[in-house]
Amino acid sequence: MRITIIGTGYVGLVTGTCLAHIGHSVIGVNRHPQKSSQLNQGKIPIYEPGLERILAGARRNGKIRFTTDLGQAVQSSDIVIIAVGTPSRRDGSADLQQVRQVAVQIGQALRKYAVIINKSTVPVGTARIVGALVKKHFRGKFDVVSCPEFLREGSAVRDFLRPDRIIIGSESSRATQAVLQVFRNIPGKKVITNIETAEMIKYASNAFLATKISFINEIANVCDRVGADVEQVALGMGLDPRIGQAFLRAGMGYGGSCFPKDVRALNTIAGTKGYNFRLLKSVIEVNNRQKNILLKKVKKNLKNIRGKKIAVLGLAFKGNTDDIRESAAIDIVRLLQSAGAQISVYDPAAMPNARAVLDGTVKYANNSYQAVVKTDAVIIASEWEQFKKLDWSRLRQSMRGNLIVDGKNLLNRSILERLGFRYVAMGK
Ligand code: UGA
């Protein structure tokens, strides 16, 4: 099928590339000429394992190209996918400016029937707004479908190609059939709902996962007080299939471009409809507090943070990505700096992004070994697998102190204690 995807951020680029990979003819639209031309050369602006390789294959087969010309792309497509950003506004609601703008542009460009699929995470009711905006400019027949995306950064390609489910919020059988064609080679249960339900499934899923994380973080904080081990608690709980093992890793709180924004947005959506979503308010509060709990652990163990040298390993909001949006690691660096610590950092992928937001006094190391030299403490702030495999005895020798505060419960206590470290984790 001929598909246009508007927006080439994480979701748009992965979706477009994967659709080209499974044989569709895809045009990716990006407003910035420079970004489009780099993508046309196969250069991707994000770190996402496996993406560059399948983009290269799709380009070789002539299945994907990028342009700034939204109008021409829309006119030559049967399917138009909206995958633009919906950042948080100050009040927590989703900013729909880009979605609205794109809807108008699609309406102005359309000449024949097309299915418009919305993949951006948008408040319930947005697909109808998109439909109304398109209709203002195009009098012909078209359909709007909501098809939320569930991919995770770091495993986005696999998540897209092997999803657990594909949600299709559609009220036209012609559009539903077209969308089923788009995903015909992709496994996973196809769930067909009305548009509002599809939009809600996305928010409810992210909010539930965030709730699981805040719940286990609360349990971790109690574990700290009673001498229990949250990892074993999570294991013991998760073996009950009604609970499940996933998303029960305690730590310094969730971050990223999705959970914080979507939980706030759902809370706002409920509020504007006169419903006080108490549980979500607590989820947000617990998540914000978690970084301070980590900071308290550092303070307690170092006595005084002022003048101490501290290495922060990991800056991304989680491992396997270069994304630092709402990263708890970045917040921790700032909190430690304002408490008077000197900070050195290392992250395998996120340092260029971090440089753009952190102040100039942070020292950027070339690797973890360099980051810890003469430091009093190390903080693990993203779950990169490579931190587990470090030669920790070598790190111990080059440090001035011996404290590790593991904000992601990534490392093994008994190994580290044998090497002479003081190991402090979250709830263990
Ligand atoms: C999340 C969802 O998992 C995806 O299904 C969804 O498509 C995506 O948001 C989105 O809405 O676009 P992502 O933000 O890439 O994906 O990252 P996750 O792997 O879900 O992790 C989010 C945060 O939660 C990270 O900071 C991570 O460290 C934290 N986390 C995750 C925990 O603290 N504990 C856990 O057990 C799991």
Side-chain angles (χ1 to χ4, degrees), residues 57-74:
R59 287 179 56 244
R60 254 196 321 274
N61 296 332
K63 289 291 182 191
I64 191 163
R65 69 181 173 87
F66 298 89
T67 178
T68 51
D69 191 343
L70 184 147
Q72 207 195 29
V74 166

Side-chain angles (χ1 to χ4, degrees), residues 10-11 48 119 121 148-156 159 165 202 205-206 209-210 212-214 216-217 245-262 287 316-319 321 323 325-328 381-383 407-408:
Y10 275 101
V11 170
E48 186 58 50
K119 268 214 171 288
T121 306
E149 184 47 64
F150 299 99
L151 55 83
R152 288 162 298 178
E153 290 180 20
S155 56
D159 289 348
R165 78 291 206 195
K202 172 67 191 188
S205 303
N206 273 4
L209 293 171
K212 260 187 130 176
I213 298 171
S214 278
I216 202 67
N217 282 337
Q245 300 285 347
F247 280 69
L248 286 181
R249 264 186 0 254
M252 51 203 253
Y254 59 78
S257 64
C258 305
F259 285 176
K261 165 177 83 76
D262 293 350
N287 196 57
F317 79 93
K318 65 174 185 180
T321 178
D323 196 340
R325 285 176 285 178
E326 302 215 27
S327 168
S382 307
E383 47 277 72
K408 292 286 184 176

Side-chain angles (χ1 to χ4, degrees), residues 36-301:
S36 287
S37 91
Q38 283 189 331
L39 286 167
N40 278 326
Q41 293 161 40
K43 292 183 195 148
I44 62 169
I46 52 172
Y47 173 90
E48 186 58 50
L51 186 59
E52 207 156 44
R53 188 176 53 80
I54 66 161
L55 177 60
R59 287 179 56 244
R60 254 196 321 274
N61 296 332
K63 289 291 182 191
I64 191 163
R65 69 181 173 87
F66 298 89
T67 178
T68 51
D69 191 343
L70 184 147
Q72 207 195 29
V74 166
Q75 279 160 25
S76 56
S77 297
D78 317 302
I79 305 279
V80 179
I81 303 178
I82 303 178
V84 294
T86 52
S88 270
R89 281 196 300 227
R90 265 171 189 274
D91 63 359
S93 64
D95 183 347
L96 296 180
Q97 204 191 325
Q98 291 182 58
V99 174
R100 284 171 178 278
Q101 206 175 7
V102 160
V104 170
Q105 288 171 311
I106 294 171
Q108 287 166 340
L110 276 181
R111 299 285 178 269
K112 59 173 176 47
Y113 177 80
V115 178
I116 301 165
I117 301 180
N118 185 43
K119 268 214 171 288
S120 303
T121 306
V122 290
V124 179
T126 305
R128 305 242 179 246
I129 299 176
V130 167
L133 288 169
V134 174
K135 207 172 183 167
K136 261 193 185 169
H137 301 274
F138 176 60
R139 291 184 174 262
K141 176 98 186 87
F142 69 94
D143 283 304
V144 181
V145 172
S146 168
C147 225
E149 184 47 64
F150 299 99
L151 55 83
R152 288 162 298 178
E153 290 180 20
S155 56
V157 172
R158 194 189 56 213
D159 289 348
F160 188 93
L161 295 173
R162 306 201 65 79
D164 300 315
R165 78 291 206 195
I166 292 174
I167 307 293
I168 304 172
S170 164
E171 283 153 21
S172 129
S173 56
R174 184 179 183 186
T176 307
Q177 288 313 315
V179 177
L180 287 170
Q181 273 298 102
V182 171
F183 295 110
R184 70 183 185 279
N185 292 330
I186 298 195
K189 191 162 172 53
K190 316 284 188 299
V191 181
I192 299 164
T193 68
N194 72 12
I195 291 171
E196 283 74 12
T197 304
E199 290 173 333
M200 192 53 151
I201 287 171
K202 172 67 191 188
Y203 277 115
S205 303
N206 273 4
F208 185 75
L209 293 171
T211 304
K212 260 187 130 176
I213 298 171
S214 278
F215 179 84
I216 202 67
N217 282 337
E218 291 263 69
I219 294 288
N221 298 338
V222 180
C223 283
D224 270 337
R225 285 166 175 76
V226 300
D229 178 334
V230 72
E231 258 174 23
Q232 287 178 1
V233 172
L235 176 74
M237 284 167 65
L239 285 170
D240 181 335
R242 291 171 304 175
I243 298 173
Q245 300 285 347
F247 280 69
L248 286 181
R249 264 186 0 254
M252 51 203 253
Y254 59 78
S257 64
C258 305
F259 285 176
K261 165 177 83 76
D262 293 350
V263 175
R264 283 193 299 263
L266 182 53
N267 179 44
T268 310
I269 293 167
T272 54
K273 296 289 175 193
Y275 185 75
N276 182 6
F277 204 145
R278 286 168 207 264
L279 181 59
L280 279 194
K281 291 193 173 69
S282 299
V283 168
I284 296 169
E285 189 190 320
V286 169
N287 196 57
N288 291 339
R289 195 184 54 190
Q290 212 54 21
K291 303 178 256 266
N292 291 317
I293 289 183
L294 180 123
L295 189 71
K296 266 194 197 154
K297 286 176 187 274
V298 180
K299 271 190 186 147
K300 190 174 158 202
N301 283 281

